[in-house]
Amino acid sequence: MTGVIEVSREKFEELVAEALDTIPPELTKVMDNVVVVVVDDPPEPDLLGLYTGIPLTERGEWYAGVLPDRIEIYRNPICSICETEDDVVEEVQITVVHEIAHHFGIDDDRLHELGW
């Protein structure tokens, strides 16, 4: 690796927004009670993103009045593994899709089977 790319918080937030815009409308239409935020540093090392909440597949009639699910995308770890801004764009896209998949109830094992 030749170096780490620096991406401003504002630019990184734009990249996350652009990645969200690539999610097919038929999926975004059924996403429910979820917020996506950029956070500089993860709560533990080696995380690029984190989904916290109750996946759509686990919600029942009891599901009401709860705080939104939270998807965090971690700026510093993503930038630290990338050498170019194009690498950051790609890694943000992968991470956003990965965490949204968790919102839909898809676990890490299945994501890896699918190539994510």
Side-chain angles (χ1 to χ4, degrees):
M1 183 182 288
T2 59
V4 173
I5 185 84
E6 290 294 325
V7 177
S8 72
R9 173 75 179 234
E10 181 179 15
K11 177 63 177 173
F12 194 88
E13 288 174 351
E14 289 174 13
L15 295 176
V16 170
E18 290 168 7
L20 288 167
D21 286 345
T22 68
I23 305 300
E26 57 272 14
L27 293 180
T28 58
K29 187 169 42 175
V30 296
M31 290 175 65
D32 182 48
N33 200 30
V34 60
V35 63
V36 179
V37 296
V38 170
V39 177
D40 286 338
D41 297 301
E44 58 187 73
D46 302 324
L47 285 180
L48 303 181
L50 181 66
Y51 168 78
T52 306
I54 302 167
L56 295 174
T57 53
E58 295 179 19
R59 297 178 185 180
E61 291 181 21
W62 57 267
Y63 185 85
V66 299
L67 292 173
D69 291 3
R70 184 174 173 94
I71 292 173
E72 295 180 347
I73 307 299
Y74 300 116
R75 184 174 68 92
N76 289 333
I78 288 175
C79 291
S80 74
I81 64 168
C82 296
E83 294 183 28
T84 68
E85 191 168 313
D86 286 343
D87 292 343
V88 175
V89 170
E90 181 178 355
E91 195 58 54
V92 165
Q93 178 71 40
I94 290 167
T95 304
V96 166
V97 168
H98 183 100
E99 300 310 328
I100 287 174
H102 290 319
H103 177 67
F104 282 97
I106 302 171
D107 66 16
D108 282 332
D109 290 338
R110 182 65 179 136
L111 282 168
H112 292 331
E113 287 174 15
L114 296 169
W116 288 96

